[in-house]
Amino acid sequence: MPNQFDSVSIRKKANVYFEGHSISHLIELEDGTKKTLGVILPTNKYLIFKTHVPERIEIISGKCSVQIGDEPEVRIFSSGETFYVPENSYFKIMTDEVIDYVCHLG
């Protein structure tokens, strides 16, 4: 996987959720593909994100616990791993360290 995205448009205003525990920026590539680049800060409770389009979340650094939709299983994802969330669903994420991630939208 590449370490950077070239030729992108970046939204200047950050998306800040959960009292600052999740911060991201939307980028758009030349082909119209949209992604968010962000961080999730340590939290002792699950942060719940709803999806409107399919999302592929790539963990760049850190380790987190994730529960996708109504699945009972909580899985651990670490640096270099990816998880998928279907459209019109949700996922819960919790971490005790800083997570860097890329969310590939659509």
Side-chain angles (χ1 to χ4, degrees):
M1 298 230 172
N3 287 335
Q4 66 183 37
F5 297 109
D6 296 320
S7 303
V8 299
S9 295
I10 302 171
R11 272 217 194 125
K12 290 195 251 182
K13 182 160 176 42
N15 302 307
V16 180
Y17 303 103
F18 306 106
E19 299 172 342
H21 280 93
S22 174
I23 303 165
S24 67
H25 285 273
L26 179 69
I27 67 168
E28 186 171 344
L29 281 61
E30 286 183 315
D31 66 1
T33 303
K34 293 181 180 178
K35 304 176 184 304
T36 58
L37 306 177
V39 297
I40 295 176
L41 301 178
T43 178
N44 59 1
K45 64 180 180 177
Y46 277 102
L47 307 180
I48 302 170
F49 292 89
K50 294 180 181 179
T51 63
H52 302 289
V53 298
E55 296 184 6
R56 178 170 56 93
I57 295 137
E58 176 186 354
I59 305 300
I60 304 303
S61 66
K63 183 170 76 173
C64 55
S65 301
V66 176
Q67 181 182 18
I68 299 169
D70 294 328
E71 294 177 11
E73 181 183 6
V74 174
R75 297 186 293 173
I76 305 298
F77 292 94
S78 299
S79 177
E81 295 183 314
T82 298
F83 64 92
Y84 300 85
V85 184
E87 66 184 325
N88 299 317
S89 186
Y90 67 93
F91 67 97
K92 299 176 183 178
I93 188 167
M94 183 169 48
T95 181
D96 59 4
E97 55 189 270
V98 175
I99 299 294
D100 284 291
Y101 69 90
V102 177
C103 178
H104 306 268
L105 302 167

